[in-house]
Amino acid sequence: MTKTALRLTELSHGGGCGCKIAPAVLNEMLARMPAAKPFANLMVGTETADDAAVWRLNDQQALIATTDFFMPIVDDPFDFGRIAATNALSDVYAMGGTPIMALAIVGMPINVLPVETIGRILEGGASVCAEAGIPVAGGHSIDSPEPIYGLVALGLAHPDVIKRNRDARDGDALILGKPLGVGILGSAMKKGLLDAEGYAQMIATTTRLNTVGPTLAALPGVHALTDVTGFGLLGHLLELCRGAGLGATVTAGALPVMPAAIPFAKQGIGPGAIGRNLASCGDAVQFDAGVEAWQRSLTADAQTSGGLLVACDAGSVEQVLACFRAGGFVDAAVIGRMHAGPPRVQVDA
């Protein structure tokens, strides 16, 4: 890993999507916002906690707009830039769109970090945008006490393939595209416990673009898409449940997990966001007695640049899994189902 005068993670109080404000606090903040006026072309706004805003341009095109930024989850500046950019572009893919352009969001402690280090962060982000086939066409920077990096991401999709949280249906299978454990591995790294293999697993998943999103969205049997990030699997699944007015059941033993994260989870190592996420879920999540404590932690672990979560009809499961695997997402797995009932999540062993 590239050496810097200071460890990037030492300069911030949180890292990656674990920096997110807890869902319960965020909901309280948003409740104070004035109701938005109706706009005929606003296809997706703030109503159902979707991944991005969507504006209908015409009968063939919808503009997807999103922004995401955070403080370092790793110490290598190039890897930090790559992870942050991959995470930001994921929201476009999660709506079923294809990115077209990005703007950089940069906040750096100029008197603390060498210019070369900051440059490597920007290079990392630009390398991911190049992989996605888009330019970093501008942005904004400030002198900040903590390092912050991310993107404004813009994308396009046909209006008919936009996937909203509210569109999940009773009986849909739930399929997760990437393994869990990012926040747990990040915490282990900060404690000096993560070896090279564990770090490689974390970087491999957090820098894999969710480019399969548009392909999945075009499948008639796919009803809803989101990505699993800072609120953990449970938090983002609850957004699907609340949007669609349905319940969900998840099987803990079916969850894909990065192998390196399991021993740390069993030791109770993980980000503070796990506790915040579980508290925010409250009574909306119930765990079967057979679900072990470490598995509960994994369901609420804050994922940075996590996987796509798909709700699809039972007849499309093999097609969805084939799409994931063709895109290199070899850990994609069926983890549960949507069903009629109040918007709650039951986690079975």
Side-chain angles (χ1 to χ4, degrees), residues 23-342:
V25 178
L26 181 60
N27 288 338
E28 184 178 352
M29 292 166 54
L30 293 177
R32 301 173 184 271
M33 287 180 59
K37 295 180 179 179
F39 290 89
N41 289 323
L42 183 62
M43 296 179 61
V44 181
T46 61
E47 300 81 11
T48 52
D50 275 288
D51 299 292
V54 182
W55 185 270
R56 183 189 297 270
L57 297 175
N58 51 55
D59 290 343
Q60 301 297 316
Q61 292 179 309
L63 177 67
I64 301 168
T66 183
T67 184
D68 214 313
F69 52 90
F70 46 62
M71 292 163 280
I73 187 174
V74 295
D75 292 314
D76 185 284
F78 189 76
D79 284 345
F80 170 41
R82 293 168 67 206
I83 294 168
T86 306
N87 179 76
L89 294 179
S90 181
D91 285 340
V92 174
Y93 295 125
M95 298 304 297
T98 300
I100 57 170
M101 182 173 66
L103 306 174
I105 299 170
V106 183
M108 294 291 158
I110 299 301
N111 293 329
V112 176
L113 279 180
V115 172
E116 293 79 7
T117 298
I118 299 171
R120 287 292 285 169
I121 294 171
L122 302 185
E123 287 177 33
S127 73
V128 166
C129 290
E131 182 184 347
I134 65 170
V136 179
H140 185 65
S141 61
I142 61 169
D143 189 347
S144 167
E146 296 182 271
I148 296 168
Y149 178 70
L151 300 176
V152 172
L154 302 176
L156 291 174
H158 193 287
D160 293 345
V161 303
I162 295 295
K163 299 301 175 185
R164 306 170 182 83
N165 287 343
R166 71 185 187 198
D167 294 332
R169 300 181 188 177
D170 180 13
D172 276 353
L174 292 168
I175 299 175
L176 181 61
K178 287 185 182 182
L180 301 173
V182 174
I184 290 167
L185 290 180
S187 294
M189 188 203 71
K190 291 178 183 179
K191 294 176 181 293
L193 302 174
L194 190 64
D195 62 16
E197 172 58 28
Y199 184 79
Q201 288 179 28
M202 181 171 68
I203 295 302
T205 190
T206 54
T207 59
R208 181 178 292 280
L209 286 163
N210 281 320
T211 50
V212 71
T215 303
L216 293 170
L219 298 177
V222 170
H223 301 140
L225 274 174
T226 191
D227 61 349
V228 176
T229 54
F231 298 157
L233 172 64
L234 292 180
H236 292 287
L237 178 52
L238 273 175
E239 290 176 341
L240 284 185
C241 291
R242 289 165 178 157
L246 296 170
T249 298
V250 168
T251 301
L255 298 175
V257 185
M258 283 180 282
I262 294 175
F264 296 122
K266 290 182 176 179
Q267 295 172 53
I269 293 171
I274 290 176
R276 295 194 300 271
N277 287 339
L278 285 172
S280 293
C281 291
D283 294 338
V285 172
Q286 296 292 325
F287 290 95
D288 181 81
V291 179
E292 298 186 42
W294 68 272
Q295 293 174 311
R296 297 186 185 205
S297 294
L298 275 167
T299 63
D301 184 33
Q303 301 306 288
T304 299
S305 190
L308 294 178
L309 179 62
V310 182
C312 68
D313 62 45
S316 300
V317 167
E318 291 305 318
Q319 194 175 16
V320 168
L321 288 173
C323 285
F324 270 124
R325 286 163 189 160
F329 298 89
V330 296
D331 295 293
V334 178
I335 64 167
R337 64 183 181 88
M338 305 293 293
H339 54 74

